[in-house]
Amino acid sequence: MKNIFLAFLITASSHFATAQNEVVNAFSSSYKFESFKQYDKAIGALKTVYDINSYEINVRLGWLNYLQGEYTESEKHYNQALTIQSKSIEALLGLTYPQAAMLNWKNLASTYAKVLLLDPKNKTANFRLGQIFYNKKQFKKAENNLELVCNSYPFDFDANVLMAQIKTKQGNISEAKEFYTKALLYNPDSIVILKALVQLQ
């Protein structure tokens, strides 16, 4: 009886190792195909080992389908990944790619808001949500998000530029100049910043 159980364990371990190797090989192939921009083949490699309950496979397929331009399919896989790992900031940020590509601003803003519930100081979510509010002319809301970014990353070029633009729209020219000047220190050759400062004179 003991020998039978031992044989069973060895057989089960062997099958598990084989299955694991197949998944690893599929991921390896998908990365190689992606490097050559052969996204359909990269997706196909993972589909051979697809498991609906695998977070990693669904996140990877979400990314590859986004690169392939299959945005609905990408969104589906990212949502499946979130079904498995509901607190994954990684998957939430991944989901924003197809949403942005489909110009689904309402869902995009909602996804960034979910990121901020998990990580209130998340740089990407705060910056992108600030951009959305800025484009909607909701400048106070945009300012609130950008303040969090600028406080944590005071020398970030994009954050300083966007905050300067927000301050300009609010009529706060002196503060706008300060943020533009910080951006100029990051990139002294920026024609865009130099022009913006001239226009604020």
Side-chain angles (χ1 to χ4, degrees):
M1 186 69 176
K2 190 174 182 180
N3 289 336
I4 293 173
F5 181 68
L6 183 60
F8 171 78
L9 283 179
I10 292 171
T11 301
S13 297
S14 176
H15 285 310
F16 177 77
T18 300
Q20 284 296 100
N21 285 336
E22 288 177 0
V23 173
V24 171
N25 289 337
F27 269 83
S28 179
S29 294
S30 80
Y31 291 126
K32 288 176 184 176
F33 287 129
E34 181 188 359
S35 69
F36 291 104
K37 298 185 179 181
Q38 297 176 323
Y39 306 127
D40 55 337
K41 290 183 179 180
I43 291 167
L46 287 178
K47 282 188 174 179
T48 63
V49 293
Y50 182 68
D51 177 359
I52 195 171
N53 295 311
S54 169
Y55 170 84
E56 295 78 11
I57 292 176
N58 278 292
V59 163
R60 181 85 179 120
L61 285 173
W63 172 246
L64 290 170
N65 276 283
Y66 164 72
L67 293 176
Q68 178 75 354
E70 298 290 342
Y71 302 131
T72 301
E73 191 70 10
S74 171
E75 195 173 35
K76 183 187 83 173
H77 284 293
Y78 278 124
N79 279 321
Q80 180 58 30
L82 287 164
T83 298
I84 301 163
Q85 295 281 348
S86 61
K87 295 183 179 180
S88 170
I89 292 174
E90 176 183 55
L92 283 168
L93 290 177
L95 180 59
T96 65
Y97 287 107
Q99 288 177 337
M102 292 187 289
L103 308 180
N104 195 334
W105 307 124
K106 183 178 179 180
N107 285 354
L108 183 63
S110 175
T111 301
Y112 282 130
K114 288 176 183 177
V115 171
L116 294 179
L117 285 174
L118 297 169
D119 179 12
K121 291 187 177 181
N122 186 276
K123 179 184 179 182
T124 300
N126 274 301
F127 181 80
R128 298 300 182 194
L129 200 52
Q131 281 185 315
I132 291 171
F133 287 136
Y134 176 81
N135 291 331
K136 293 170 70 174
K137 303 186 187 306
Q138 297 177 351
F139 302 122
K140 184 57 184 176
K141 287 185 177 180
E143 181 185 24
N144 291 339
N145 287 106
L146 263 294
E147 276 184 354
L148 290 168
V149 180
C150 289
N151 287 339
S152 297
Y153 303 88
F155 200 39
D156 183 88
F157 179 81
D158 293 326
N160 278 299
V161 171
L162 183 54
M163 183 62 100
Q165 292 171 333
I166 292 167
K167 294 293 184 180
T168 300
K169 292 293 186 181
Q170 291 175 322
N172 195 334
I173 304 306
S174 61
E175 285 193 39
K177 287 179 180 178
E178 289 178 15
F179 284 105
Y180 273 132
T181 301
K182 286 184 183 182
L184 190 64
L185 292 176
Y186 185 93
N187 182 4
D189 298 322
S190 173
I191 302 297
V192 173
I193 304 303
L194 290 169
K195 284 183 176 179
L197 284 169
V198 168
Q199 289 171 354
L200 292 178
Q201 297 304 322

